Structure formats: structure tokens, C-alpha cells
Amino acid sequence: MVTSSLIIGVIIAALVFGAIERSRAGRIKNISKGKHVIDASDIGTELGLVATILQFSSAFCAPCRITRGTLSSVVTSFSGIKHVEIDAEKNLELVRKLDIRQTPTTLFLNSAGQEIARAVGAPKRDQVISALELISHE
Amino acid sequence: MSELREIDARGPRWSAGLTAIVLSVALVTKSPVVIAVQLVQFGFGAFATPPKSPYGILYRKLVQPRLPKTFESEDIRPPQFAQGVGFVFALLATIGALSHTWPLFTVATAFALFAALLNSVFGYCLGCKVYLLGVRLRHR
């Protein structure tokens, strides 16, 4: 009796937790301007002319691949926007500086390298576009 | 085998479903044999590869032939990492069962069941959540 209530409890907890996690994944969060500023030397390549989408990935991460596909497809439809993917494990100093806790985490930077927004988990195409609009309207 | 980097993404989801059933049976029966079966599965999944684990072989022989031929493939490393995390919990649970330390057995098995359910129902990526934090803690 106790065991079956434990199993049912675990099932309910997993369903609730999983549903919450799924709804939160990829949500765009505004970041106060100037909190994090990134330059070309941080990421080993020049920033995009209008915006840079900085994706942190790791090896044990299936959604990182989905995110890579979404971002590279969005980038081709806009000019001046660059997608840069960084291996989080190999850039721990930057990971700590930017407080990256899980992968994929995607940062949206303006032309000056200031972080304007970020998405934790795989963002959908329209979420990426809304984050880019934040940059174009700032 | 290092040449096998891409697998049918449905395989690990199916295996996680079977894992959830086996772990539930283990919780009900408190049987060291049942939790040891799951420990062996996690061991092969983590230290060989998920397709070479018992559930992976069952999936390929019994389930995959009945499913559509087109499928999403995925990198082998995320499910292999998750099997490694499962192995640690199943090892604790097996020790608990063999030594009759039932709180240890129950908590470890319940955590493994929680993770297996998240994996099978949502395709939850455990490596995404814990791997980077682990690396950050190790290299302080």
C-alpha cells in the first residue's frame, strides 16, 4: 500500500516537473543591458554587425543540436546576424563569467556585444525572432 | 565502438519506458534480483553503448521492425551519459537491497524511476541539466 502510493507519487511528480520544464524551455528572458558585455576575444571571432546569437553547448546534450539547426536557419533569413556556438566545457572561464548553468543556453547580443536577452533550453524559431526584435527596437 | 555515433532516438525513449516498469516492480517486490537486472542494463548502456545494452538489443529485435522506417537520429552520448547516472542510482539501490538498508534502496530506486519517467515521457535531457554543473564544480 505504502509502495504503490510512493510509485503513484513519483509518477505524478515526474509528470508535473516534466510539463513545467517543457513549458519553460527556450523562453526568452530579458537581461538588463550592460550586465554582461562580450567582445571578439571572448568568443574567438568577430561579433555580428547587427547582432550575435551566442549558443553554449555540450557533448551530452541532444537539444543543443536542435538549437543549432533553429539558429542557423534563422540567421540565414536576416543580414548582419551571426550565430556562434561555443563548447561550454572548453570555455569554463566564460561560462562562469556569464553564469551559464546548463546547455543549451543562448545569449542574444547587440552590435556592441551587450547581452540583451537569453534563452535556457532549446528556443523555438518565433522565440528567437522575438529576441532579435528586442535588439532591433532597443 | 567508436564508429557508431548516431542512433535511432526512439530506442532510448523505449528503453526508459521499460526501465520505469522494471524499477516499479523492484519497488513493489524489494527484490535484489530485479534491481540487479536494471543495474546490469545501466552498466551495459553506460560502459558499452545504449544499443549494446539488453534493452537496446530488445528494441532492435522486437520493436524497431514494427515502427516506421523513417526516424529521428540522435548523438549516442546524451543517452549514454543518462545510463551512467542511472547506473550510480541502481548501484546504491542494489547495495541497499543486499544489505537490507531499505531507506537507501527506496530513495535510490524512486529517484531512478523519476528520471526514467521524465526520459520516456518527455525525452528529458539529464546531461543538459547536470553535466555542465558537474564540470563547473570539479574545476573550481
Side-chain angles (χ1 to χ4, degrees):
Chain A
M1 193 58 216
V2 176
T3 314
S4 53
S5 5
L6 172 70
I7 294 173
I8 291 165
V10 171
I11 292 172
I12 292 170
L15 292 179
V16 170
F17 180 82
I20 292 171
E21 284 285 307
R22 175 172 283 190
S23 74
R24 285 169 56 166
R27 188 181 288 176
I28 303 295
K29 195 176 141 212
N30 291 22
I31 302 290
S32 59
K33 204 169 158 179
K35 189 179 175 198
H36 296 133
V37 185
I38 290 140
D39 62 28
S41 67
D42 288 320
I43 58 172
T45 179
E46 290 300 319
L47 295 172
L49 284 176
V50 179
T52 306
I53 308 178
L54 190 58
Q55 178 192 345
F56 286 85
S57 298
S58 64
F60 303 109
C61 167
C64 291
R65 191 156 86 165
I66 297 165
T67 305
R68 183 186 309 144
T70 309
L71 296 179
S72 39
S73 111
V74 170
V75 160
T76 55
S77 358
F78 296 90
S79 62
I81 294 173
K82 196 166 172 180
H83 170 215
V84 179
E85 189 173 356
I86 288 190
D87 184 344
E89 200 180 347
K90 291 186 180 131
N91 292 278
L92 286 178
E93 204 177 314
L94 189 60
V95 160
R96 287 211 177 84
K97 180 178 144 191
L98 299 171
D99 195 25
I100 311 292
R101 293 174 193 179
Q102 55 171 277
T103 54
T105 296
T106 306
L107 274 55
F108 297 87
L109 315 177
N110 65 12
S111 57
Q114 294 168 312
E115 180 185 357
I116 301 301
R118 76 167 57 185
V120 178
K124 293 186 186 64
R125 190 183 166 85
D126 55 345
Q127 290 175 313
V128 175
I129 290 169
S130 73
L132 292 173
E133 278 167 356
L134 283 176
I135 292 177
S136 66
H137 294 153
E138 64 166 343
Chain B
M1 288 215 283
S2 56
E3 75 267 25
L4 187 63
R5 305 309 299 168
E6 292 281 320
I7 56 170
D8 180 351
R10 299 169 304 186
R13 296 275 294 259
W14 184 84
S15 296
L18 185 53
T19 297
I21 293 168
V22 171
L23 290 171
S24 301
V25 172
L27 276 174
V28 172
T29 59
K30 293 186 169 184
S31 156
V33 176
V34 176
I35 192 66
V37 165
Q38 188 56 48
L39 179 67
V40 169
Q41 159 62 27
F42 282 139
F44 274 96
F47 303 113
T49 58
K52 287 187 171 176
S53 68
Y55 299 177
I57 293 167
L58 274 181
Y59 171 77
R60 237 178 10 270
K61 293 257 155 78
L62 298 179
V63 184
Q64 200 183 35
R66 293 156 207 265
L67 295 177
K69 294 275 173 286
T70 52
F71 55 81
E72 293 267 323
S73 67
E74 74 169 340
D75 191 307
I76 201 166
R77 291 172 296 177
Q80 191 162 2
F81 177 85
Q83 294 278 299
V85 175
F87 181 80
V88 173
F89 280 104
L91 185 63
L92 291 173
T94 306
I95 293 169
L98 291 176
S99 64
H100 297 268
T101 315
W102 297 114
L104 174 65
F105 166 81
T106 306
V107 170
T109 309
F111 265 105
L113 174 61
F114 181 75
L117 286 167
L118 280 176
N119 193 348
S120 65
V121 179
F122 298 99
Y124 190 76
C125 174
L126 195 58
C128 302
K129 303 286 171 180
V130 301
Y131 180 67
L132 187 60
L133 282 181
V135 173
R136 283 181 62 167
L137 288 174
R138 255 190 294 134
H139 302 270
R140 267 209 178 278

